[in-house]
Amino acid sequence: MTTDRPADAPPSEDRSSFDWEARFQADDAPWERQGVHPALIDWIDSGVLKLGQTVLTPGCGRSEEPVFLAQQGLSVIATDIAPSAIAWQKARFESAGVSAQAIETDALAWRPDTPVDVLYEQTFLCAIHPRKRDAYEAMAHACLKPGGLLLALFMQKSEQGGPPYGCGLDAMRALFAEDRWRWPEAEARPYPHGGLNGKAELGMVLTRI
Ligand SMILES: C[S@@+](CC[C@H](N)C(=O)[O-])C[C@H]1O[C@@H](n2cnc3c(N)ncnc32)[C@H](O)[C@@H]1O
């Protein structure tokens, strides 16, 4: 991800060809949190995530959450376009002694054989160019079964450009429209991201209609 640009910069930056594999090979990944995301712990503690559910983590990178979810007894499918990320996840599953899938693919185009219970979104939506967001929404809707949950962490930032691209709530409400998604009544909880200048990620649970 990049240094932030000022809000008055022209919004023409297009880094949709961003080389994620090169970033992993250079070990230049400031988006990586140390440890498991606190929102995920909250969603487990509050019973949103349950034993036996199948959870998809698109754009998983080298995050700890897929192995953590597998250790909690969930069935995990992690996808990423970067070979290094998938190799890392496979090695992590093996060293932890858990059974989980890691698939190298374009997560926007990939679909499971059977729709899943949960999609865990962590710094993937903010990583793709905004013009690909409709494809993200279509992917999430197609991959989740009716009543399935999108556990979202919407990246908040005022600067233009990216990645990370801001995922303001007005834009998210337009993207995840109310005829396809049920929005929570509770206020979104902010989780600051230490590696990304403390930017808040808003944790929200949307239900696929
Ligand atoms: C900002 S990183 C986040 C990684 C991980 N979710 C985390 O929180 O550490 C974005 C990830 O999305 C992956 N990615 C980008 N475009 C993708 C695509 N079309 N399909 C699958 N993965 C993609 C990148 O390889 C990278 O691992």
Side-chain angles (χ1 to χ4, degrees), residues 93-111:
F93 295 155
E94 195 177 332
S95 69
V98 298
S99 173
Q101 295 182 67
I103 302 171
E104 184 187 323
T105 186
D106 179 350
L108 298 175
W110 185 86
R111 302 287 184 266

Side-chain angles (χ1 to χ4, degrees), residues 15 19 27 39 45 50 57 70 83 92 95 101 105 154 175 197:
R15 299 179 67 93
D19 191 343
D27 201 18
D45 289 349
K50 298 181 191 77
T57 63
R92 189 76 188 88
S95 69
Q101 295 182 67
T105 186
F154 294 133
L175 182 63
N197 302 329

Side-chain angles (χ1 to χ4, degrees), residues 2 4 18 24 91 107 112 119 130 150 164 172 198 203:
T2 58
D4 292 323
F18 197 80
F24 287 121
L119 189 155
L150 169 60
M172 293 301 100

Side-chain angles (χ1 to χ4, degrees), residues 95-166:
S95 69
V98 298
S99 173
Q101 295 182 67
I103 302 171
E104 184 187 323
T105 186
D106 179 350
L108 298 175
W110 185 86
R111 302 287 184 266
D113 293 338
T114 306
V116 302
D117 301 300
V118 178
L119 189 155
Y120 177 61
E121 158 53 41
Q122 178 178 299
T123 51
F124 176 44
L125 180 57
C126 72
I128 59 173
H129 193 276
R131 92 162 90 80
K132 294 183 176 174
R133 287 181 174 176
D134 286 345
Y136 184 105
E137 191 276 341
M139 174 278 290
H141 202 268
C143 289
L144 280 167
K145 66 184 190 186
L149 303 179
L150 169 60
L151 306 190
L153 289 159
F154 294 133
M155 177 69 67
Q156 304 301 295
K157 59 175 280 200
S158 51
E159 308 88 350
Q160 303 243 354
Y165 296 95

Side-chain angles (χ1 to χ4, degrees), residues 7-197:
D8 56 359
S12 57
E13 187 178 5
D14 180 356
R15 299 179 67 93
S16 54
S17 57
F18 197 80
D19 191 343
W20 296 101
E21 176 61 19
R23 294 294 290 265
F24 287 121
Q25 287 193 17
D27 201 18
D28 181 10
W31 58 83
E32 290 180 352
R33 282 180 175 263
Q34 304 307 312
V36 175
H37 200 297
L40 199 53
I41 308 279
D42 288 347
W43 284 323
I44 285 173
D45 289 349
S46 62
V48 171
L49 283 163
K50 298 181 191 77
L51 196 72
Q53 287 172 326
T54 299
V55 58
L56 172 65
T57 63
C60 58
R62 301 185 302 192
S63 59
E64 272 294 313
E65 287 74 12
V67 74
F68 176 74
L69 287 164
Q71 287 168 329
Q72 304 307 307
L74 286 91
S75 180
V76 174
I77 308 170
T79 61
D80 203 285
I81 206 161
S84 291
I86 291 304
W88 189 94
Q89 292 291 351
K90 285 182 174 169
R92 189 76 188 88
F93 295 155
E94 195 177 332
S95 69
V98 298
S99 173
Q101 295 182 67
I103 302 171
E104 184 187 323
T105 186
D106 179 350
L108 298 175
W110 185 86
R111 302 287 184 266
D113 293 338
T114 306
V116 302
D117 301 300
V118 178
L119 189 155
Y120 177 61
E121 158 53 41
Q122 178 178 299
T123 51
F124 176 44
L125 180 57
C126 72
I128 59 173
H129 193 276
R131 92 162 90 80
K132 294 183 176 174
R133 287 181 174 176
D134 286 345
Y136 184 105
E137 191 276 341
M139 174 278 290
H141 202 268
C143 289
L144 280 167
K145 66 184 190 186
L149 303 179
L150 169 60
L151 306 190
L153 289 159
F154 294 133
M155 177 69 67
Q156 304 301 295
K157 59 175 280 200
S158 51
E159 308 88 350
Q160 303 243 354
Y165 296 95
C167 298
L169 280 189
D170 287 349
M172 293 301 100
R173 281 195 175 271
L175 182 63
F176 298 101
E178 289 190 355
D179 58 338
R180 284 162 66 85
W181 299 92
R182 194 161 61 249
W183 280 71
E185 287 177 12
E187 287 248 325
R189 172 149 180 212
Y191 295 90
H193 193 310
L196 298 175
N197 302 329

